[in-house]
């Protein structure tokens, strides 16, 4: 079981219009600051946060309780007095199921505490497993030798789009991290299924993908294990052992 918390900036679109037409640089700087603070606050509690949109974030919050969410919300309110942020908590056997439960919880207006609370849903004490896949392009530096920076970005985004689409069929959620890195919240997806997805995504091009799979009790531990698994693939390649998928479980 995995627990997700969806953090959303409320009324963001209408609020941005009040800044006038010369607002885009301000908004980009603001979004970067908000993401930094949201990531910091959840990471300090062993969670990890992913961009969904620039006004919405997905956090793996296994082990975080009501008080943790309240403290984070209050700190964000203190840092951003003119902005209202809500949280919606959902749990499930897969990331998509947790996302869906959070969606219905919010739609039905099931608040955690009272009518004024901006936290929806409830804590799931059984959410104690997170599985993350960390995917990158094999030898992306070499690919950059025959593609311009913008063309390389276009290629990466195209691959990300296909990965997101294919993993969604396995009830997993994919998020672009920047560079050539993608993380997938993949509870319930097997190593064999991941291999099938990666082969399908790269079937019509010369790109090869590496995938580190990490499992842990919390989001941060799972992400750590996934990245360590990805690093292991690179280490193995240095000694002549080619392996595109590697799995590590974090205690």
């Amino acid at each position: 079981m995995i627990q997700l918390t969806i953090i959303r900036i409320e009324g963001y679109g209408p609020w941005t219009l009040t800044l006038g037409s010369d607002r885009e640089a301000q908004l980009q700087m603001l979004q970067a600051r908000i993401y930094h603070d949201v990531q910091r606050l959840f990471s300090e509690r062993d969670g990890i946060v992913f961009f969904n949109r620039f006004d919405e974030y997905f956090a793996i919050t296994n082990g975080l309780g009501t008080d943790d969410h309240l403290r984070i919300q209050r700190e964000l309110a203190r840092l951003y007095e003119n902005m209202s942020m809500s949280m919606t908590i959902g749990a499930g056997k897969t990331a998509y199921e947790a996302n869906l439960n959070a969606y219905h919880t919010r739609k039905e207006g099931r608040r955690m505490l009272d009518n004024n609370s901006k936290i929806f849903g409830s804590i799931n004490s059984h959410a104690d497993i997170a599985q993350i896949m960390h995917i990158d392009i094999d030898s992306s530096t070499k690919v950059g030798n025959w593609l311009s920076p913008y063309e390389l970005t276009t290629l990466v985004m195209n691959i990300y789009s296909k990965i997101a689409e294919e993993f969604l069929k396995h009830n997993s959620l994919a998020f672009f991290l920047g560079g050539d890195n993608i993380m997938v919240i993949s509870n319930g997806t097997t190593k064999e299924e991941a291999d099938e997805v990666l082969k399908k995504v790269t079937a019509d091009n010369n790109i090869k993908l590496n995938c580190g799979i990490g499992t842990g009790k919390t989001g941060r531990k799972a992400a750590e294990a996934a990245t360590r698994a990805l690093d292991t693939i690179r280490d193995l390649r240095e000694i002549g052992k080619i392996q595109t998928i590697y799995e590590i479980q974090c205690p």
Side-chain angles (χ1 to χ4, degrees), residues 53-79:
R53 298 190 303 265
F54 282 96
D55 62 344
E56 187 175 83
Y57 315 89
F58 273 57
I60 300 177
T61 55
N62 291 7
L64 273 68
T66 303
D67 288 344
D68 295 301
H69 284 81
L70 280 171
R71 289 191 183 98
I72 292 172
Q73 190 180 64
R74 286 167 184 162
E75 178 63 10
L76 290 172
R78 184 188 69 80
L79 292 170

Side-chain angles (χ1 to χ4, degrees), residues 130-133 191 211-217 221-233 235 243 245-251:
Q131 180 178 287
I132 289 178
M133 296 181 182
K191 184 178 179 180
C211 177
I213 304 175
T215 304
K217 290 184 178 180
K221 290 296 184 184
E224 177 188 359
T227 300
R228 187 148 33 99
L230 191 62
D231 291 341
T232 302
I233 292 172
D235 294 339
Q243 191 163 340
I245 298 183
Y246 196 86
E247 190 170 7
I248 290 178
Q249 292 192 2
C250 187

Side-chain angles (χ1 to χ4, degrees), residues 175-222:
F175 299 91
F176 178 60
L177 302 182
D180 65 347
N181 290 270
I182 296 161
M183 276 192 173
V184 184
I185 310 176
S186 56
N187 285 48
T189 302
T190 66
K191 184 178 179 180
E192 291 72 26
E193 288 170 333
D195 188 45
E196 289 176 8
V197 168
L198 299 187
K199 286 177 179 175
K200 184 174 183 179
V201 166
T202 58
D204 59 351
N205 55 49
N206 294 321
I207 299 300
K208 294 181 180 179
L209 299 174
N210 299 316
C211 177
I213 304 175
T215 304
K217 290 184 178 180
T218 66
R220 187 170 173 178
K221 290 296 184 184

Side-chain angles (χ1 to χ4, degrees), residues 32-100:
R33 289 200 305 272
I34 292 174
Y35 175 64
H36 170 273
D37 287 319
V38 171
Q39 185 71 270
R40 174 178 59 83
L41 290 167
F42 279 97
S43 177
E44 289 171 351
R45 295 163 173 82
D46 234 9
I48 188 167
V49 178
F50 301 101
F51 271 125
N52 187 42
R53 298 190 303 265
F54 282 96
D55 62 344
E56 187 175 83
Y57 315 89
F58 273 57
I60 300 177
T61 55
N62 291 7
L64 273 68
T66 303
D67 288 344
D68 295 301
H69 284 81
L70 280 171
R71 289 191 183 98
I72 292 172
Q73 190 180 64
R74 286 167 184 162
E75 178 63 10
L76 290 172
R78 184 188 69 80
L79 292 170
Y80 303 97
E81 295 179 357
N82 296 324
M83 311 203 72
S84 174
M85 298 190 200
S86 66
M87 297 183 185
T88 308
I89 304 164
K93 292 181 180 179
T94 67
Y96 177 72
E97 183 181 344
N99 150 80
L100 205 59

